[in-house]
Amino acid sequence: MKRILTLLLLTVAISISSNAQVKKRTPAPQPKAPTAAQILHENLLEATQRVLIVDSIVVAKDSFLSYIPLPPECGKIEPTEFGYQFTNEFGDRMLYSIADTAGNARIYTKSKEGDEWGKRQFVESLGEPSNYPFLMSDGITLYFSHKGEGSLGGYDIFITRYDAEDNTYLKAQNIGYPFNSNANDYMYVVDEVDTLGWFVTDRRQPEGRVCVYTFVPPLSRENLSIETEGLSTVRSRAALTSIADTWDGHYVELALAERRLKQMKEREYKPVKVNTFSFIINDDITYTSEDDFKVVENKTRLDQLKEMQQMLVKSEKELEDARVKYHNANRFDRSALGAEILKAEKELQQLRLDIASMNRRIRNDEIRAINN
């Protein structure tokens, strides 16, 4: 009996040992493969550009162009009913976006042939959705924003160059950190006259607000080094957590840039002899003069439209000033200011709807007149 009990205990011990060995042999779970976005982030982080940020301001998204004092020598950027439009200094080349009902935009281009604009062309190589085009004065280098393949999240700023031989643009490249983020990064503009640049982002901003950064465009690209400056420093600079950190002791360069920025805001530019009037009728017809209108009543409506647009600019500025005042007010004054801001926002929204309605009315009347 004692011998049998010993054998049973030995069998149980062997079984337990065997189960333990089986458990030990169970392979550990393999780490998940990094996503395309994670790989892109790591690659771009290692190439974070060293940039001197001069200033920043948080504004309403629909009025950020008012805070980019671009001189006419660098072209003209303006919002349209359908998106954003860039016209070069000479007024003979245009890049503009048209958004569909879902808000997805495409970028088109037009060139002037004599006194008439040629047929628009979809810039297919930029992909879609793409928006916010800005063409450098060389007529070759194009900055724009794209959402989708190759972006960190939302819209990212990309760069491409025009290939005259193929009459198209080369494959665009993400310009990386600190200009881009996992939020939406929009317009990128460079003023080669004053050596200043701007880019717009909604990172760390509430709905409907963006931050406009002013920076000094470097003469040549210089990247931060993770090895010498540390991963945490590079991550902070990539995310633009502190403007002061970008100065790196270059206080003389910063002071000169601030002076140039102040002079830009104060000086009055001499008008250039460029026909900047543009009114899109349809995909194939754009009026470049008020004399192009076929319907007599539309000339009066056009004057009304100009007044409404001027009122829009003024109202947007007043609303922005009110928001700044609200931000700096004490809690007792904020109640009254908040009510004024809400009222102004509703009036501004109605004004935008009225402008859109007037645009459609003029355009539809002209289309009927052309077809008849």
Side-chain angles (χ1 to χ4, degrees), residues 76 78 85 87 91 94 112 115 117 272-281 286-293 298-299 302-303 305-306 309 359 362:
K76 182 179 181 181
E78 53 194 332
Q85 176 179 296
T87 308
M94 184 188 299
K112 216 169 206 181
D115 293 329
W117 285 99
V272 294
K273 295 180 179 179
V274 176
N275 179 15
T276 57
F277 181 85
S278 173
F279 193 96
I280 298 173
I281 301 300
T286 299
Y287 289 173
T288 57
S289 169
E290 295 182 20
D291 294 332
D292 292 337
F293 288 91
N298 276 346
K299 294 184 179 181
L302 188 64
D303 291 335
L305 182 62
K306 289 179 181 178
Q309 290 170 334
N359 267 298
I362 295 173

PDB file of all heavy atoms in Angstrom, residues 76 78 85 87 91 94 112 115 117 272-281 286-293 298-299 302-303 305-306 309 359 362:
ATOM      1  N   LYS A  76      -1.133  87.523 -54.229  1.00  0.00           N
ATOM      2  CA  LYS A  76      -2.324  87.859 -53.454  1.00  0.00           C
ATOM      3  C   LYS A  76      -3.076  86.591 -53.081  1.00  0.00           C
ATOM      4  O   LYS A  76      -3.328  85.733 -53.925  1.00  0.00           O
ATOM      5  CB  LYS A  76      -3.235  88.779 -54.266  1.00  0.00           C
ATOM      6  CG  LYS A  76      -4.491  89.231 -53.538  1.00  0.00           C
ATOM      7  CD  LYS A  76      -5.311  90.157 -54.418  1.00  0.00           C
ATOM      8  CE  LYS A  76      -6.562  90.659 -53.704  1.00  0.00           C
ATOM      9  NZ  LYS A  76      -7.376  91.541 -54.576  1.00  0.00           N
ATOM     10  N   GLU A  78      -6.658  85.254 -51.264  1.00  0.00           N
ATOM     11  CA  GLU A  78      -7.975  85.717 -50.850  1.00  0.00           C
ATOM     12  C   GLU A  78      -8.938  84.542 -50.732  1.00  0.00           C
ATOM     13  O   GLU A  78      -8.819  83.562 -51.471  1.00  0.00           O
ATOM     14  CB  GLU A  78      -8.508  86.753 -51.843  1.00  0.00           C
ATOM     15  CG  GLU A  78      -8.491  86.295 -53.276  1.00  0.00           C
ATOM     16  CD  GLU A  78      -8.707  87.440 -54.248  1.00  0.00           C
ATOM     17  OE1 GLU A  78      -9.371  88.431 -53.858  1.00  0.00           O
ATOM     18  OE2 GLU A  78      -8.226  87.349 -55.391  1.00  0.00           O
ATOM     19  N   GLN A  85      -7.844  81.266 -52.926  1.00  0.00           N
ATOM     20  CA  GLN A  85      -7.282  81.551 -54.240  1.00  0.00           C
ATOM     21  C   GLN A  85      -5.983  82.325 -54.110  1.00  0.00           C
ATOM     22  O   GLN A  85      -5.891  83.296 -53.365  1.00  0.00           O
ATOM     23  CB  GLN A  85      -8.285  82.363 -55.060  1.00  0.00           C
ATOM     24  CG  GLN A  85      -7.794  82.822 -56.418  1.00  0.00           C
ATOM     25  CD  GLN A  85      -8.874  83.598 -57.139  1.00  0.00           C
ATOM     26  OE1 GLN A  85      -9.922  83.058 -57.466  1.00  0.00           O
ATOM     27  NE2 GLN A  85      -8.635  84.876 -57.390  1.00  0.00           N
ATOM     28  N   THR A  87      -3.190  84.405 -56.510  1.00  0.00           N
ATOM     29  CA  THR A  87      -2.876  84.992 -57.808  1.00  0.00           C
ATOM     30  C   THR A  87      -1.472  85.574 -57.724  1.00  0.00           C
ATOM     31  O   THR A  87      -1.139  86.279 -56.756  1.00  0.00           O
ATOM     32  CB  THR A  87      -3.872  86.105 -58.177  1.00  0.00           C
ATOM     33  OG1 THR A  87      -5.204  85.596 -58.053  1.00  0.00           O
ATOM     34  CG2 THR A  87      -3.645  86.572 -59.605  1.00  0.00           C
ATOM     35  N   GLY A  91      -0.472  88.798 -62.020  1.00  0.00           N
ATOM     36  CA  GLY A  91      -1.881  88.644 -62.298  1.00  0.00           C
ATOM     37  C   GLY A  91      -2.191  87.778 -63.499  1.00  0.00           C
ATOM     38  O   GLY A  91      -3.276  87.874 -64.081  1.00  0.00           O
ATOM     39  N   MET A  94      -3.004  81.658 -61.680  1.00  0.00           N
ATOM     40  CA  MET A  94      -3.885  81.505 -60.529  1.00  0.00           C
ATOM     41  C   MET A  94      -3.918  80.042 -60.090  1.00  0.00           C
ATOM     42  O   MET A  94      -3.959  79.130 -60.918  1.00  0.00           O
ATOM     43  CB  MET A  94      -5.296  81.972 -60.919  1.00  0.00           C
ATOM     44  CG  MET A  94      -6.314  81.967 -59.818  1.00  0.00           C
ATOM     45  SD  MET A  94      -7.983  82.313 -60.478  1.00  0.00           S
ATOM     46  CE  MET A  94      -7.759  83.953 -61.162  1.00  0.00           C
ATOM     47  N   LYS A 112      -3.400  83.118 -67.772  1.00  0.00           N
ATOM     48  CA  LYS A 112      -3.997  84.118 -68.637  1.00  0.00           C
ATOM     49  C   LYS A 112      -3.418  84.002 -70.037  1.00  0.00           C
ATOM     50  O   LYS A 112      -2.195  83.923 -70.211  1.00  0.00           O
ATOM     51  CB  LYS A 112      -3.746  85.507 -68.067  1.00  0.00           C
ATOM     52  CG  LYS A 112      -4.890  86.477 -68.267  1.00  0.00           C
ATOM     53  CD  LYS A 112      -4.671  87.729 -67.461  1.00  0.00           C
ATOM     54  CE  LYS A 112      -6.008  88.394 -67.144  1.00  0.00           C
ATOM     55  NZ  LYS A 112      -5.808  89.626 -66.376  1.00  0.00           N
ATOM     56  N   ASP A 115      -5.752  88.667 -72.699  1.00  0.00           N
ATOM     57  CA  ASP A 115      -6.580  89.310 -71.676  1.00  0.00           C
ATOM     58  C   ASP A 115      -7.603  88.353 -71.082  1.00  0.00           C
ATOM     59  O   ASP A 115      -8.405  88.753 -70.230  1.00  0.00           O
ATOM     60  CB  ASP A 115      -7.319  90.514 -72.292  1.00  0.00           C
ATOM     61  CG  ASP A 115      -6.361  91.623 -72.696  1.00  0.00           C
ATOM     62  OD1 ASP A 115      -5.321  91.759 -72.031  1.00  0.00           O
ATOM     63  OD2 ASP A 115      -6.662  92.335 -73.671  1.00  0.00           O
ATOM     64  N   TRP A 117      -8.643  84.544 -69.277  1.00  0.00           N
ATOM     65  CA  TRP A 117      -8.179  83.389 -68.523  1.00  0.00           C
ATOM     66  C   TRP A 117      -8.474  82.117 -69.317  1.00  0.00           C
ATOM     67  O   TRP A 117      -9.555  81.961 -69.874  1.00  0.00           O
ATOM     68  CB  TRP A 117      -8.866  83.304 -67.168  1.00  0.00           C
ATOM     69  CG  TRP A 117      -8.358  84.313 -66.182  1.00  0.00           C
ATOM     70  CD1 TRP A 117      -8.933  85.505 -65.855  1.00  0.00           C
ATOM     71  CD2 TRP A 117      -7.158  84.232 -65.414  1.00  0.00           C
ATOM     72  NE1 TRP A 117      -8.174  86.170 -64.931  1.00  0.00           N
ATOM     73  CE2 TRP A 117      -7.078  85.412 -64.633  1.00  0.00           C
ATOM     74  CE3 TRP A 117      -6.144  83.282 -65.313  1.00  0.00           C
ATOM     75  CZ2 TRP A 117      -6.017  85.662 -63.767  1.00  0.00           C
ATOM     76  CZ3 TRP A 117      -5.091  83.533 -64.431  1.00  0.00           C
ATOM     77  CH2 TRP A 117      -5.030  84.708 -63.672  1.00  0.00           C
ATOM     78  N   VAL A 272       0.175  98.147 -57.272  1.00  0.00           N
ATOM     79  CA  VAL A 272       0.805  97.613 -58.480  1.00  0.00           C
ATOM     80  C   VAL A 272      -0.226  97.582 -59.587  1.00  0.00           C
ATOM     81  O   VAL A 272      -1.421  97.432 -59.351  1.00  0.00           O
ATOM     82  CB  VAL A 272       1.364  96.192 -58.235  1.00  0.00           C
ATOM     83  CG1 VAL A 272       2.498  96.244 -57.256  1.00  0.00           C
ATOM     84  CG2 VAL A 272       0.269  95.255 -57.732  1.00  0.00           C
ATOM     85  N   LYS A 273       0.246  97.743 -60.799  1.00  0.00           N
ATOM     86  CA  LYS A 273      -0.659  97.768 -61.939  1.00  0.00           C
ATOM     87  C   LYS A 273      -1.014  96.348 -62.349  1.00  0.00           C
ATOM     88  O   LYS A 273      -0.466  95.781 -63.291  1.00  0.00           O
ATOM     89  CB  LYS A 273      -0.010  98.516 -63.097  1.00  0.00           C
ATOM     90  CG  LYS A 273       0.234  99.991 -62.790  1.00  0.00           C
ATOM     91  CD  LYS A 273       0.876 100.696 -63.964  1.00  0.00           C
ATOM     92  CE  LYS A 273       1.103 102.171 -63.656  1.00  0.00           C
ATOM     93  NZ  LYS A 273       1.749 102.887 -64.786  1.00  0.00           N
ATOM     94  N   VAL A 274      -1.906  95.770 -61.559  1.00  0.00           N
ATOM     95  CA  VAL A 274      -2.354  94.410 -61.813  1.00  0.00           C
ATOM     96  C   VAL A 274      -3.868  94.382 -61.759  1.00  0.00           C
ATOM     97  O   VAL A 274      -4.477  94.971 -60.858  1.00  0.00           O
ATOM     98  CB  VAL A 274      -1.779  93.439 -60.749  1.00  0.00           C
ATOM     99  CG1 VAL A 274      -2.320  92.041 -60.960  1.00  0.00           C
ATOM    100  CG2 VAL A 274      -0.259  93.413 -60.834  1.00  0.00           C
ATOM    101  N   ASN A 275      -4.475  93.719 -62.714  1.00  0.00           N
ATOM    102  CA  ASN A 275      -5.922  93.582 -62.686  1.00  0.00           C
ATOM    103  C   ASN A 275      -6.279  92.480 -61.695  1.00  0.00           C
ATOM    104  O   ASN A 275      -6.119  91.297 -61.987  1.00  0.00           O
ATOM    105  CB  ASN A 275      -6.444  93.235 -64.089  1.00  0.00           C
ATOM    106  CG  ASN A 275      -7.956  93.062 -64.097  1.00  0.00           C
ATOM    107  OD1 ASN A 275      -8.640  93.458 -63.155  1.00  0.00           O
ATOM    108  ND2 ASN A 275      -8.467  92.469 -65.143  1.00  0.00           N
ATOM    109  N   THR A 276      -6.733  92.880 -60.508  1.00  0.00           N
ATOM    110  CA  THR A 276      -7.018  91.899 -59.466  1.00  0.00           C
ATOM    111  C   THR A 276      -8.496  91.532 -59.407  1.00  0.00           C
ATOM    112  O   THR A 276      -8.890  90.723 -58.580  1.00  0.00           O
ATOM    113  CB  THR A 276      -6.579  92.435 -58.092  1.00  0.00           C
ATOM    114  OG1 THR A 276      -7.245  93.684 -57.840  1.00  0.00           O
ATOM    115  CG2 THR A 276      -5.076  92.656 -58.062  1.00  0.00           C
ATOM    116  N   PHE A 277      -9.331  92.170 -60.269  1.00  0.00           N
ATOM    117  CA  PHE A 277     -10.752  91.848 -60.251  1.00  0.00           C
ATOM    118  C   PHE A 277     -10.976  90.452 -60.827  1.00  0.00           C
ATOM    119  O   PHE A 277     -10.442  90.107 -61.880  1.00  0.00           O
ATOM    120  CB  PHE A 277     -11.552  92.868 -61.063  1.00  0.00           C
ATOM    121  CG  PHE A 277     -13.035  92.584 -61.058  1.00  0.00           C
ATOM    122  CD1 PHE A 277     -13.832  93.038 -60.026  1.00  0.00           C
ATOM    123  CD2 PHE A 277     -13.622  91.828 -62.072  1.00  0.00           C
ATOM    124  CE1 PHE A 277     -15.193  92.776 -60.014  1.00  0.00           C
ATOM    125  CE2 PHE A 277     -14.977  91.557 -62.067  1.00  0.00           C
ATOM    126  CZ  PHE A 277     -15.764  92.027 -61.033  1.00  0.00           C
ATOM    127  N   SER A 278     -11.755  89.666 -60.119  1.00  0.00           N
ATOM    128  CA  SER A 278     -12.029  88.299 -60.573  1.00  0.00           C
ATOM    129  C   SER A 278     -13.384  87.868 -60.025  1.00  0.00           C
ATOM    130  O   SER A 278     -13.646  87.986 -58.834  1.00  0.00           O
ATOM    131  CB  SER A 278     -10.931  87.349 -60.090  1.00  0.00           C
ATOM    132  OG  SER A 278     -11.255  86.017 -60.368  1.00  0.00           O
ATOM    133  N   PHE A 279     -14.256  87.393 -60.913  1.00  0.00           N
ATOM    134  CA  PHE A 279     -15.566  86.890 -60.492  1.00  0.00           C
ATOM    135  C   PHE A 279     -15.843  85.617 -61.280  1.00  0.00           C
ATOM    136  O   PHE A 279     -15.985  85.639 -62.508  1.00  0.00           O
ATOM    137  CB  PHE A 279     -16.667  87.921 -60.751  1.00  0.00           C
ATOM    138  CG  PHE A 279     -17.965  87.598 -60.067  1.00  0.00           C
ATOM    139  CD1 PHE A 279     -18.282  88.161 -58.843  1.00  0.00           C
ATOM    140  CD2 PHE A 279     -18.867  86.690 -60.628  1.00  0.00           C
ATOM    141  CE1 PHE A 279     -19.477  87.859 -58.198  1.00  0.00           C
ATOM    142  CE2 PHE A 279     -20.057  86.386 -60.006  1.00  0.00           C
ATOM    143  CZ  PHE A 279     -20.369  86.958 -58.775  1.00  0.00           C
ATOM    144  N   ILE A 280     -15.886  84.480 -60.577  1.00  0.00           N
ATOM    145  CA  ILE A 280     -16.093  83.181 -61.229  1.00  0.00           C
ATOM    146  C   ILE A 280     -17.570  82.999 -61.550  1.00  0.00           C
ATOM    147  O   ILE A 280     -18.416  83.056 -60.663  1.00  0.00           O
ATOM    148  CB  ILE A 280     -15.593  82.033 -60.331  1.00  0.00           C
ATOM    149  CG1 ILE A 280     -14.090  82.170 -60.082  1.00  0.00           C
ATOM    150  CG2 ILE A 280     -15.897  80.678 -60.971  1.00  0.00           C
ATOM    151  CD1 ILE A 280     -13.545  81.180 -59.076  1.00  0.00           C
ATOM    152  N   ILE A 281     -17.871  82.766 -62.834  1.00  0.00           N
ATOM    153  CA  ILE A 281     -19.237  82.518 -63.267  1.00  0.00           C
ATOM    154  C   ILE A 281     -19.535  81.019 -63.264  1.00  0.00           C
ATOM    155  O   ILE A 281     -20.528  80.557 -62.708  1.00  0.00           O
ATOM    156  CB  ILE A 281     -19.484  83.110 -64.668  1.00  0.00           C
ATOM    157  CG1 ILE A 281     -19.228  84.629 -64.648  1.00  0.00           C
ATOM    158  CG2 ILE A 281     -20.906  82.819 -65.142  1.00  0.00           C
ATOM    159  CD1 ILE A 281     -20.110  85.411 -63.698  1.00  0.00           C
ATOM    160  N   THR A 286     -14.597  83.133 -66.189  1.00  0.00           N
ATOM    161  CA  THR A 286     -14.277  84.024 -65.071  1.00  0.00           C
ATOM    162  C   THR A 286     -14.212  85.449 -65.593  1.00  0.00           C
ATOM    163  O   THR A 286     -13.445  85.737 -66.511  1.00  0.00           O
ATOM    164  CB  THR A 286     -12.929  83.653 -64.430  1.00  0.00           C
ATOM    165  OG1 THR A 286     -12.990  82.313 -63.920  1.00  0.00           O
ATOM    166  CG2 THR A 286     -12.586  84.600 -63.292  1.00  0.00           C
ATOM    167  N   TYR A 287     -15.012  86.344 -65.034  1.00  0.00           N
ATOM    168  CA  TYR A 287     -14.975  87.749 -65.430  1.00  0.00           C
ATOM    169  C   TYR A 287     -13.768  88.421 -64.781  1.00  0.00           C
ATOM    170  O   TYR A 287     -13.497  88.232 -63.592  1.00  0.00           O
ATOM    171  CB  TYR A 287     -16.244  88.471 -64.993  1.00  0.00           C
ATOM    172  CG  TYR A 287     -17.497  88.101 -65.757  1.00  0.00           C
ATOM    173  CD1 TYR A 287     -18.738  88.579 -65.354  1.00  0.00           C
ATOM    174  CD2 TYR A 287     -17.446  87.277 -66.884  1.00  0.00           C
ATOM    175  CE1 TYR A 287     -19.903  88.251 -66.047  1.00  0.00           C
ATOM    176  CE2 TYR A 287     -18.591  86.945 -67.583  1.00  0.00           C
ATOM    177  CZ  TYR A 287     -19.824  87.429 -67.156  1.00  0.00           C
ATOM    178  OH  TYR A 287     -20.955  87.105 -67.834  1.00  0.00           O
ATOM    179  N   THR A 288     -13.053  89.228 -65.568  1.00  0.00           N
ATOM    180  CA  THR A 288     -11.891  89.953 -65.048  1.00  0.00           C
ATOM    181  C   THR A 288     -12.105  91.462 -65.064  1.00  0.00           C
ATOM    182  O   THR A 288     -11.200  92.219 -64.764  1.00  0.00           O
ATOM    183  CB  THR A 288     -10.641  89.603 -65.871  1.00  0.00           C
ATOM    184  OG1 THR A 288     -10.884  89.911 -67.253  1.00  0.00           O
ATOM    185  CG2 THR A 288     -10.295  88.128 -65.737  1.00  0.00           C
ATOM    186  N   SER A 289     -13.308  91.890 -65.439  1.00  0.00           N
ATOM    187  CA  SER A 289     -13.647  93.302 -65.464  1.00  0.00           C
ATOM    188  C   SER A 289     -15.142  93.457 -65.195  1.00  0.00           C
ATOM    189  O   SER A 289     -15.940  92.590 -65.558  1.00  0.00           O
ATOM    190  CB  SER A 289     -13.302  93.911 -66.832  1.00  0.00           C
ATOM    191  OG  SER A 289     -13.849  95.214 -66.955  1.00  0.00           O
ATOM    192  N   GLU A 290     -15.505  94.555 -64.583  1.00  0.00           N
ATOM    193  CA  GLU A 290     -16.922  94.816 -64.325  1.00  0.00           C
ATOM    194  C   GLU A 290     -17.695  95.014 -65.632  1.00  0.00           C
ATOM    195  O   GLU A 290     -18.908  94.828 -65.680  1.00  0.00           O
ATOM    196  CB  GLU A 290     -17.070  96.037 -63.420  1.00  0.00           C
ATOM    197  CG  GLU A 290     -16.497  95.817 -62.025  1.00  0.00           C
ATOM    198  CD  GLU A 290     -16.696  97.008 -61.105  1.00  0.00           C
ATOM    199  OE1 GLU A 290     -17.587  97.838 -61.413  1.00  0.00           O
ATOM    200  OE2 GLU A 290     -15.971  97.109 -60.098  1.00  0.00           O
ATOM    201  N   ASP A 291     -16.978  95.368 -66.686  1.00  0.00           N
ATOM    202  CA  ASP A 291     -17.626  95.546 -67.992  1.00  0.00           C
ATOM    203  C   ASP A 291     -18.027  94.211 -68.617  1.00  0.00           C
ATOM    204  O   ASP A 291     -18.770  94.198 -69.604  1.00  0.00           O
ATOM    205  CB  ASP A 291     -16.687  96.292 -68.952  1.00  0.00           C
ATOM    206  CG  ASP A 291     -16.420  97.724 -68.496  1.00  0.00           C
ATOM    207  OD1 ASP A 291     -17.294  98.293 -67.823  1.00  0.00           O
ATOM    208  OD2 ASP A 291     -15.339  98.246 -68.804  1.00  0.00           O
ATOM    209  N   ASP A 292     -17.553  93.096 -68.044  1.00  0.00           N
ATOM    210  CA  ASP A 292     -17.893  91.783 -68.598  1.00  0.00           C
ATOM    211  C   ASP A 292     -19.324  91.369 -68.275  1.00  0.00           C
ATOM    212  O   ASP A 292     -19.879  90.483 -68.941  1.00  0.00           O
ATOM    213  CB  ASP A 292     -16.935  90.713 -68.051  1.00  0.00           C
ATOM    214  CG  ASP A 292     -15.514  90.904 -68.562  1.00  0.00           C
ATOM    215  OD1 ASP A 292     -15.359  91.534 -69.623  1.00  0.00           O
ATOM    216  OD2 ASP A 292     -14.579  90.414 -67.898  1.00  0.00           O
ATOM    217  N   PHE A 293     -19.939  91.999 -67.275  1.00  0.00           N
ATOM    218  CA  PHE A 293     -21.281  91.585 -66.859  1.00  0.00           C
ATOM    219  C   PHE A 293     -22.315  91.905 -67.940  1.00  0.00           C
ATOM    220  O   PHE A 293     -22.335  93.009 -68.497  1.00  0.00           O
ATOM    221  CB  PHE A 293     -21.663  92.243 -65.535  1.00  0.00           C
ATOM    222  CG  PHE A 293     -20.910  91.682 -64.360  1.00  0.00           C
ATOM    223  CD1 PHE A 293     -19.713  92.238 -63.956  1.00  0.00           C
ATOM    224  CD2 PHE A 293     -21.399  90.578 -63.680  1.00  0.00           C
ATOM    225  CE1 PHE A 293     -19.010  91.714 -62.885  1.00  0.00           C
ATOM    226  CE2 PHE A 293     -20.710  90.048 -62.601  1.00  0.00           C
ATOM    227  CZ  PHE A 293     -19.513  90.611 -62.202  1.00  0.00           C
ATOM    228  N   ASN A 298     -26.838  93.526 -62.421  1.00  0.00           N
ATOM    229  CA  ASN A 298     -25.749  92.888 -61.680  1.00  0.00           C
ATOM    230  C   ASN A 298     -24.632  93.864 -61.314  1.00  0.00           C
ATOM    231  O   ASN A 298     -23.897  93.634 -60.362  1.00  0.00           O
ATOM    232  CB  ASN A 298     -25.183  91.714 -62.468  1.00  0.00           C
ATOM    233  CG  ASN A 298     -25.994  90.444 -62.262  1.00  0.00           C
ATOM    234  OD1 ASN A 298     -26.805  90.377 -61.342  1.00  0.00           O
ATOM    235  ND2 ASN A 298     -25.803  89.455 -63.110  1.00  0.00           N
ATOM    236  N   LYS A 299     -24.503  94.940 -62.075  1.00  0.00           N
ATOM    237  CA  LYS A 299     -23.489  95.937 -61.735  1.00  0.00           C
ATOM    238  C   LYS A 299     -23.858  96.642 -60.427  1.00  0.00           C
ATOM    239  O   LYS A 299     -22.991  96.954 -59.608  1.00  0.00           O
ATOM    240  CB  LYS A 299     -23.332  96.934 -62.873  1.00  0.00           C
ATOM    241  CG  LYS A 299     -22.753  96.299 -64.137  1.00  0.00           C
ATOM    242  CD  LYS A 299     -22.495  97.314 -65.233  1.00  0.00           C
ATOM    243  CE  LYS A 299     -21.895  96.638 -66.454  1.00  0.00           C
ATOM    244  NZ  LYS A 299     -21.599  97.586 -67.549  1.00  0.00           N
ATOM    245  N   LEU A 302     -23.302  94.155 -57.742  1.00  0.00           N
ATOM    246  CA  LEU A 302     -21.868  94.016 -57.477  1.00  0.00           C
ATOM    247  C   LEU A 302     -21.410  95.076 -56.487  1.00  0.00           C
ATOM    248  O   LEU A 302     -20.602  94.789 -55.592  1.00  0.00           O
ATOM    249  CB  LEU A 302     -21.088  94.124 -58.783  1.00  0.00           C
ATOM    250  CG  LEU A 302     -19.586  93.818 -58.699  1.00  0.00           C
ATOM    251  CD1 LEU A 302     -19.365  92.360 -58.307  1.00  0.00           C
ATOM    252  CD2 LEU A 302     -18.909  94.110 -60.029  1.00  0.00           C
ATOM    253  N   ASP A 303     -21.919  96.295 -56.618  1.00  0.00           N
ATOM    254  CA  ASP A 303     -21.593  97.355 -55.653  1.00  0.00           C
ATOM    255  C   ASP A 303     -22.095  96.974 -54.259  1.00  0.00           C
ATOM    256  O   ASP A 303     -21.399  97.185 -53.256  1.00  0.00           O
ATOM    257  CB  ASP A 303     -22.221  98.679 -56.088  1.00  0.00           C
ATOM    258  CG  ASP A 303     -21.568  99.250 -57.345  1.00  0.00           C
ATOM    259  OD1 ASP A 303     -20.397  98.913 -57.590  1.00  0.00           O
ATOM    260  OD2 ASP A 303     -22.234 100.010 -58.074  1.00  0.00           O
ATOM    261  N   LEU A 305     -22.528  93.957 -53.204  1.00  0.00           N
ATOM    262  CA  LEU A 305     -21.682  92.850 -52.758  1.00  0.00           C
ATOM    263  C   LEU A 305     -20.364  93.368 -52.181  1.00  0.00           C
ATOM    264  O   LEU A 305     -19.893  92.886 -51.145  1.00  0.00           O
ATOM    265  CB  LEU A 305     -21.413  91.902 -53.924  1.00  0.00           C
ATOM    266  CG  LEU A 305     -20.579  90.646 -53.628  1.00  0.00           C
ATOM    267  CD1 LEU A 305     -21.289  89.764 -52.608  1.00  0.00           C
ATOM    268  CD2 LEU A 305     -20.328  89.856 -54.905  1.00  0.00           C
ATOM    269  N   LYS A 306     -19.778  94.371 -52.815  1.00  0.00           N
ATOM    270  CA  LYS A 306     -18.527  94.959 -52.316  1.00  0.00           C
ATOM    271  C   LYS A 306     -18.737  95.572 -50.935  1.00  0.00           C
ATOM    272  O   LYS A 306     -17.889  95.425 -50.042  1.00  0.00           O
ATOM    273  CB  LYS A 306     -18.018  96.012 -53.296  1.00  0.00           C
ATOM    274  CG  LYS A 306     -17.468  95.451 -54.600  1.00  0.00           C
ATOM    275  CD  LYS A 306     -17.020  96.583 -55.513  1.00  0.00           C
ATOM    276  CE  LYS A 306     -16.488  96.046 -56.822  1.00  0.00           C
ATOM    277  NZ  LYS A 306     -16.087  97.148 -57.750  1.00  0.00           N
ATOM    278  N   GLN A 309     -18.971  92.836 -48.416  1.00  0.00           N
ATOM    279  CA  GLN A 309     -17.658  92.234 -48.153  1.00  0.00           C
ATOM    280  C   GLN A 309     -16.801  93.138 -47.286  1.00  0.00           C
ATOM    281  O   GLN A 309     -16.066  92.661 -46.410  1.00  0.00           O
ATOM    282  CB  GLN A 309     -16.964  91.928 -49.481  1.00  0.00           C
ATOM    283  CG  GLN A 309     -17.604  90.784 -50.247  1.00  0.00           C
ATOM    284  CD  GLN A 309     -17.065  90.628 -51.657  1.00  0.00           C
ATOM    285  OE1 GLN A 309     -16.586  91.596 -52.256  1.00  0.00           O
ATOM    286  NE2 GLN A 309     -17.156  89.425 -52.203  1.00  0.00           N
ATOM    287  N   ASN A 359     -23.863  86.295 -54.358  1.00  0.00           N
ATOM    288  CA  ASN A 359     -22.962  85.686 -55.349  1.00  0.00           C
ATOM    289  C   ASN A 359     -23.719  84.746 -56.275  1.00  0.00           C
ATOM    290  O   ASN A 359     -23.554  84.787 -57.502  1.00  0.00           O
ATOM    291  CB  ASN A 359     -21.838  84.920 -54.634  1.00  0.00           C
ATOM    292  CG  ASN A 359     -20.600  85.756 -54.426  1.00  0.00           C
ATOM    293  OD1 ASN A 359     -19.979  86.204 -55.383  1.00  0.00           O
ATOM    294  ND2 ASN A 359     -20.234  85.974 -53.177  1.00  0.00           N
ATOM    295  N   ILE A 362     -26.115  86.696 -58.727  1.00  0.00           N
ATOM    296  CA  ILE A 362     -25.382  87.327 -59.833  1.00  0.00           C
ATOM    297  C   ILE A 362     -24.931  86.274 -60.836  1.00  0.00           C
ATOM    298  O   ILE A 362     -25.106  86.423 -62.048  1.00  0.00           O
ATOM    299  CB  ILE A 362     -24.171  88.113 -59.290  1.00  0.00           C
ATOM    300  CG1 ILE A 362     -24.645  89.294 -58.423  1.00  0.00           C
ATOM    301  CG2 ILE A 362     -23.293  88.610 -60.433  1.00  0.00           C
ATOM    302  CD1 ILE A 362     -23.522  90.030 -57.713  1.00  0.00           C
TER     303      ILE A 362
END
